[in-house]
Amino acid sequence: QVELVESGGGSVQAGGSLRLSCAASDSTNRVNSMAWFRQVPGKEREGVAHIYTETLSTDLAYFATGRFTITISQDKAKKTMYLQMDNLKPEDTAMYYCAADPRNSWGSPLSRGAEFRYWGQGTQVTVSS
């Protein structure tokens, strides 16, 4: 079983920055794909950023390009994914969720959130104008 624990959410003013972290316990190396999703109550969940843990290839949603950066640090038993969010806007306000999956190749992972096997509990990001 892989456990995901997010941290780093909070409240900032527009134009500010936050860095989200997602720690994945992965002693059996099950995780090959990690991503951030976000959701606002009453709206559909949307993909934010994705990274393959082996190739380090990344994918960003259109609204994240130029403002958000996804990275990862890892050792044999643990993977920690980060989302650096700069120039935050009020529309970035949402609950941000970390997700992980064993797959190492799949098209458009940001549009396939329901297929991710492991999920964290979420961390709230609030951006005020």
Side-chain angles (χ1 to χ4, degrees):
Q1 183 67 18
V2 174
E3 181 180 7
L4 304 178
V5 179
E6 302 103 330
S7 61
S11 298
V12 296
Q13 291 189 327
S17 299
L18 283 173
R19 188 193 196 202
L20 306 184
S21 300
C22 172
S25 58
D26 189 23
S27 59
T28 58
N29 200 30
R30 297 182 185 182
V31 172
N32 293 296
S33 177
M34 297 184 74
W36 290 99
F37 291 84
R38 70 184 188 183
Q39 189 167 23
V40 176
K43 294 188 177 181
E44 290 190 0
R45 179 177 56 202
E46 59 182 352
V48 179
H50 171 267
I51 187 167
Y52 286 110
T53 63
E54 183 173 353
T55 65
L56 305 185
S57 174
T58 63
D59 187 22
L60 291 171
Y62 72 95
F63 57 80
T65 301
R67 299 190 298 128
F68 296 1
T69 304
I70 184 170
T71 57
I72 190 169
S73 66
Q74 50 191 324
D75 58 27
K76 289 184 178 180
K78 185 178 178 180
K79 293 177 171 66
T80 303
M81 176 179 64
Y82 303 96
L83 185 68
Q84 177 67 40
M85 303 187 294
D86 298 319
N87 190 22
L88 283 162
K89 303 176 181 180
E91 51 263 43
D92 294 318
T93 295
M95 184 70 80
Y96 283 70
Y97 296 93
C98 170
D101 194 87
R103 272 175 283 193
N104 57 16
S105 178
W106 47 340
S108 303
L110 293 182
S111 63
R112 299 168 67 178
E115 298 179 39
F116 278 78
R117 183 176 297 184
Y118 308 110
W119 286 87
Q121 295 301 307
T123 185
Q124 177 68 36
V125 171
T126 303
V127 184
S128 59
S129 57

